[in-house]
Amino acid sequence: MSISLYSATVPVFKQMLLALSDVLKKGEDHAQSRKFDPAVLLQSRLFPDMLPLVRQVQIACDFAKSVPARIAGVEVAAYEDSEQSFAELQQRIAKTLALIDGMTAEQLNGSGVKEVVLRPGTPKEKKLTVEDYALKYGMPQFFFHVTTAYNLLRHNGVEIGKKDYMGSY
């Protein structure tokens, strides 16, 4: 049995982005109930050299939109990375969900794209087959940032668990 690139990516991105949206809401509620500035959570890090929560969410959205776009051979939508509140992060997730909801199985599975080039024209240029790009690069990157966002909230006392991380499937 084989699985299509669409099935292996878009529904998974959607499930996990919806779950991320839910845990962010719980994070915001946690800050409000404990009466501290939500920016404390948004700028929290697990270690000083790691990116803060807000950036983890931005990057997760970037991978959720760029992987299907590159597979389909369409231009990747650019976002400004200017979010500074939970509401703005929720808008970014909603915008990303709307974008990938517009992608069809035919666009991804029928694409003529055979290879994705990362960092073209630089010393770090890397060429990957579409399958390797999606399954060995894009999806792991996405999960890293979603998981880190979840861990930042959990580390800061937000009562979330595995069911929250997984969302509905």
Side-chain angles (χ1 to χ4, degrees):
M1 178 178 123
S2 65
I3 186 168
S4 73
L5 282 173
Y6 178 88
S7 296
T9 58
V10 173
V12 178
F13 288 138
K14 289 164 70 171
Q15 173 188 334
M16 298 306 294
L17 285 175
L18 289 169
L20 180 58
S21 175
D22 289 345
V23 298
L24 287 173
K25 176 69 175 125
K26 288 184 178 192
E28 182 177 28
D29 292 347
H30 177 75
Q32 290 172 351
S33 71
R34 297 285 182 129
K35 298 185 182 356
F36 66 84
D37 184 355
V40 171
L41 283 181
L42 293 169
Q43 294 305 316
S44 67
R45 301 167 188 254
L46 291 173
F47 197 77
D49 69 351
M50 291 183 74
L51 296 171
L53 175 63
V54 68
R55 191 72 184 113
Q56 300 295 338
V57 176
Q58 290 168 341
I59 295 171
C61 289
D62 288 346
F63 276 98
K65 69 182 170 67
S66 66
V67 169
R70 286 191 175 112
I71 293 169
V74 299
E75 188 175 336
V76 178
Y79 293 172
E80 290 186 32
D81 296 337
S82 58
E83 295 84 8
Q84 293 299 311
S85 69
F86 279 101
E88 290 171 342
L89 288 176
Q90 293 290 2
Q91 290 169 356
R92 186 181 182 114
I93 291 171
K95 181 169 55 170
T96 304
L97 284 166
L99 196 141
I100 63 175
D101 269 340
M103 303 292 293
T104 66
E106 293 75 27
Q107 281 179 285
L108 274 69
N109 301 332
S111 168
V113 176
K114 302 286 184 225
E115 181 178 77
V116 173
V117 181
L118 301 173
R119 298 182 186 102
T122 71
K124 292 184 177 185
E125 179 175 298
K126 186 164 181 104
K127 296 179 181 181
L128 299 167
T129 66
V130 173
E131 292 84 4
D132 283 349
Y133 167 71
L135 303 175
K136 295 179 182 175
Y137 180 79
M139 297 298 286
Q141 290 277 353
F142 172 76
F143 280 112
F144 174 86
H145 293 286
V146 169
T147 302
T148 302
Y150 168 90
N151 288 336
L152 282 162
L153 292 169
R154 185 68 189 105
H155 174 76
N156 281 285
V158 180
E159 293 187 23
I160 50 178
K162 186 176 183 179
K163 186 176 180 179
D164 298 297
Y165 172 81
M166 294 289 296
S168 298
Y169 51 93

